[in-house]
């Protein structure tokens, strides 16, 4: 593997893997650094960290499969690496085994997810590991999918030395979308918004572009490139006319474009909205109810837009639980909800949010009529407020990025257990 990718995955700005201090301290030497002296046996945690870095580097590319990384180690050296590139393509273990060839015999495999034990789009990885003669396997976390699990047991029965861990917490975090979908059948929901310090997402006149700076907006687009779908309400489309594409800072598009989902219960959005332009990359879906006229269905479909009729809630709007069930059934593992306030309020009121990404700008907008990011019914008491845990804070330019997992919600447990 090229040194540039390793430099991206390890701390510091290093182009030469052998010079990285983390590697030198542990005695880790890549196989292509043949001229260096024989290293001491490094920790299992470091080799698993490399596998985890490979998995994290390819988030957004493998859905509906998990993102998995693998490294093969022999005599204290990484002899091969692999990662799952896309659904239907070889798994990370198979990539590493193919790279190692006969050298895999007697080696130790570090992989971020338990090797699969079933024949889906690809053959079972556990059997390939056995046939390659791998001596030991360290897997970070068990596979939650009942169809695929059992690989560790199969390896052990074949005489392979098998260990669970290290790195389980990070492995589960990397694939939290996958784990949540397996457990619930629904996509993992991230609520995202940008606001001023006094909690406003626009002025009283509706001006909202831009509250946050370019670094915060770039981070938001990077998240779009990692999720399966992005959702807004009809009000956001009318107010901002967004494209909902995932774009880099230079304006170029990320290779992965999420499914664009628009809530339009009655089919009142203008047909010339940018979301409906046929030249947009990816796919747009309008989630609606039986109140949408048949003629509007036909006109949207003529533009290449899919319409999905779902049950309505008591207010006549698209029922959020039904929407999540439908998205989950079509293999959507993650959903980024970007607004507006009524839509975010509906998700929070019904306990449908698992994670929050808030970008806070150092400005005060003020004004009674200036909107906030979350509306809906809200919490009647502080005891019933949605609370966040496992907070992460990062300064992006002059803006603060706050990331947290939902611990409790008014309608039940939305935690990420």
């Amino acid at each position: 593997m090229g040194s540039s990718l390793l430099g991206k995955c390890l701390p510091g700005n290093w182009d030469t893997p052998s010079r990285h201090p983390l590697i030198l301290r542990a005695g880790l030497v890549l196989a292509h650094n043949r001229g260096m002296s024989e290293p001491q046996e490094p920790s299992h945690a470091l080799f698993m960290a490399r596998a985890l870095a490979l998995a994290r580097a390819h988030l957004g590319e493998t859905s509906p499969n998990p993102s998995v990384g693998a490294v093969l180690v022999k005599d204290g050296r990484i002899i091969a690496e692999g990662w799952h590139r896309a659904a239907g393509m070889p798994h990370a273990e198979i990539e590493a085994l193919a790279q190692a060839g006969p050298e895999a015999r007697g080696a130790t495999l570090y992989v971020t997810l338990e090797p699969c034990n079933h024949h889906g789009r690809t053959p079972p990885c556990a059997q390939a590991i056995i046939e390659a003669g791998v001596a030991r396997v360290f897997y970070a976390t068990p596979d939650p999918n009942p169809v695929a699990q059992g690989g560790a047991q199969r390896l052990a029965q074949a005489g392979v030395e098998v260990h669970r861990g290290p790195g389980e917490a990070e492995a589960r975090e990397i694939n939290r979308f996958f784990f949540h979908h397996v457990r619930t059948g629904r996509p993992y929901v991230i609520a995202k918004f940008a606001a001023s310090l006094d909690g406003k997402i626009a002025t009283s006149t509706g001006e909202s572009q831009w509250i946050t700076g370019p670094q915060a907006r770039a981070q938001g687009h990077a998240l779009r490139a990692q999720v399966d779908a992005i959702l807004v309400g009809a009000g956001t489309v009318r107010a901002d006319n967004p494209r909902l594409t995932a774009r880099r800072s230079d304006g170029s598009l990320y290779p992965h474009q999420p499914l664009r989902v628009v809530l339009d219960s009655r089919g009142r959005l203008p047909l010339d909205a940018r979301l409906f332009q046929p030249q947009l990359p990816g796919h747009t879906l309008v989630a609606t109810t039986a109140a949408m006229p048949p003629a509007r269905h036909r006109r949207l479909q003529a533009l290449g837009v899919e319409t999905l009729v779902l049950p309505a809630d008591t207010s006549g709007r698209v029922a959020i639980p039904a929407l999540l069930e439908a998205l989950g059934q079509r293999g959507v593992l993650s959903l980024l909800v970007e607004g507006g306030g009524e839509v975010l309020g509906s998700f929070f009121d019904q306990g449908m949010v698992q994670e929050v990404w808030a970008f806070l700008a150092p400005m005060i907008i003020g004004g009674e009529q200036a909107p906030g990011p979350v509306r809906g019914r809200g919490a009647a008491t502080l005891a019933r407020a949605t609370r966040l845990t496992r907070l992460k804070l990062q300064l992006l330019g002059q803006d603060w990025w706050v990331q947290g997992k939902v611990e409790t919600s008014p309608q039940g447990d939305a935690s990420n257990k």
Side-chain angles (χ1 to χ4, degrees):
M1 190 203 67
S3 61
S4 59
L5 180 57
L6 184 64
K8 294 177 183 177
C9 295
L10 292 173
N13 184 20
W14 295 78
D15 294 326
T16 305
S18 60
R19 293 181 59 200
H20 196 286
L22 178 62
I23 296 178
L24 292 176
R25 283 197 301 270
L28 170 61
V29 182
L30 294 181
H32 60 254
N33 293 328
R34 297 294 184 184
M36 297 186 67
S37 60
E38 190 70 11
Q40 297 178 352
E41 181 69 14
S43 70
H44 300 303
L46 182 61
F47 286 130
M48 186 63 79
R50 177 61 191 150
L52 290 164
L54 290 170
R56 189 177 289 280
H58 297 278
L59 286 172
E61 301 174 7
T62 64
S63 187
N65 290 353
S67 184
V68 180
V71 298
L72 273 167
V73 176
K74 198 170 188 179
D75 299 326
R77 299 177 183 272
I78 293 179
I79 61 171
E81 296 182 332
W83 61 89
H84 186 39
R85 299 173 186 270
M89 295 188 69
H91 290 184
E93 305 96 313
I94 306 304
E95 290 263 348
L97 291 173
Q99 187 183 117
E103 284 292 303
R105 185 163 300 278
T108 298
L109 173 69
Y110 296 83
V111 61
T112 59
L113 187 69
E114 177 187 9
C116 69
N117 190 37
H118 82 301
H119 199 301
R121 298 186 186 182
T122 58
C125 292
Q127 186 59 37
I129 293 168
I130 293 168
E131 292 175 357
V134 172
R136 292 191 300 174
V137 172
F138 289 80
Y139 66 96
T141 186
D143 193 329
N145 187 351
V147 176
Q149 61 188 204
Q153 182 179 1
R154 183 172 181 175
L155 290 169
Q157 291 172 344
V160 179
E161 183 182 327
V162 181
H163 300 270
R164 175 174 171 176
E168 180 160 4
E170 184 174 355
R172 293 179 66 88
E173 172 68 11
I174 290 171
N175 283 308
R176 61 196 185 281
F177 305 160
F178 174 74
F179 277 78
H180 180 83
H181 184 266
V182 169
R183 182 169 60 88
T184 67
R186 295 176 172 180
Y188 184 100
V189 175
I190 301 174
K192 171 186 167 289
F193 57 85
S196 61
L197 284 182
D198 59 335
K200 306 296 185 181
I201 61 172
T203 66
S204 59
T205 62
E207 183 182 356
S208 62
Q209 298 180 357
W210 299 101
I211 289 177
T212 54
Q215 292 97 324
R217 296 200 300 274
Q219 185 63 44
H221 277 275
L223 175 60
R224 286 182 178 181
Q226 293 181 9
V227 298
D228 292 340
I230 179 172
L231 180 145
V232 296
T236 296
V237 176
R238 281 192 288 265
D240 299 336
N241 196 19
R243 288 171 289 178
L244 298 185
T245 52
R247 304 182 299 277
R248 299 186 178 92
S249 299
D250 62 2
S252 63
L253 295 170
Y254 279 97
H256 168 69
Q257 293 296 315
L259 170 70
R260 296 177 292 273
V261 181
V262 187
L263 300 180
D264 186 12
S265 302
R266 298 183 179 276
R268 295 177 176 176
L269 282 176
L271 293 174
D272 61 353
R274 290 199 288 186
L275 278 171
F276 301 151
Q277 293 176 349
Q279 64 267 33
L280 272 186
H283 187 64
T284 300
L285 181 149
V286 172
T288 187
T289 68
M292 178 184 279
R296 179 52 62 104
H297 282 280
R298 291 192 293 270
R299 295 188 69 181
L300 285 170
Q301 291 163 4
L303 294 171
V305 176
E306 180 183 356
T307 57
L308 176 64
V309 178
L310 294 167
D313 61 17
T314 55
S315 301
R317 297 170 176 166
V318 172
I320 299 301
L323 170 66
L324 294 179
E325 291 290 342
L327 291 176
Q329 288 172 6
R330 61 191 292 160
V332 173
L333 273 58
S334 52
L335 176 66
L336 179 63
V337 181
E338 291 201 0
E342 286 294 341
V343 171
L344 283 168
S346 295
F347 274 84
F348 278 109
D349 286 343
Q350 298 176 67
M352 298 297 178
V353 177
Q354 281 71 53
E355 188 170 329
V356 174
W357 281 36
F359 297 91
L360 303 179
M363 68 169 68
I364 304 297
I365 293 177
E368 291 184 6
Q369 302 304 314
V374 182
R375 298 178 66 181
R377 296 191 310 272
T381 65
L382 291 179
R384 292 180 63 80
T386 300
R387 297 185 181 275
L388 303 181
T389 186
R390 288 179 276 171
L391 292 177
K392 297 179 182 178
L393 284 82
Q394 183 177 343
L395 189 62
L396 299 173
Q398 292 187 326
D399 306 313
W400 281 102
W401 167 31
V402 182
Q403 180 183 4
K405 304 298 194 300
V406 172
E407 183 178 50
T408 58
S409 59
Q411 297 299 323
D413 180 14
S415 65
N416 307 279
K417 297 177 180 178

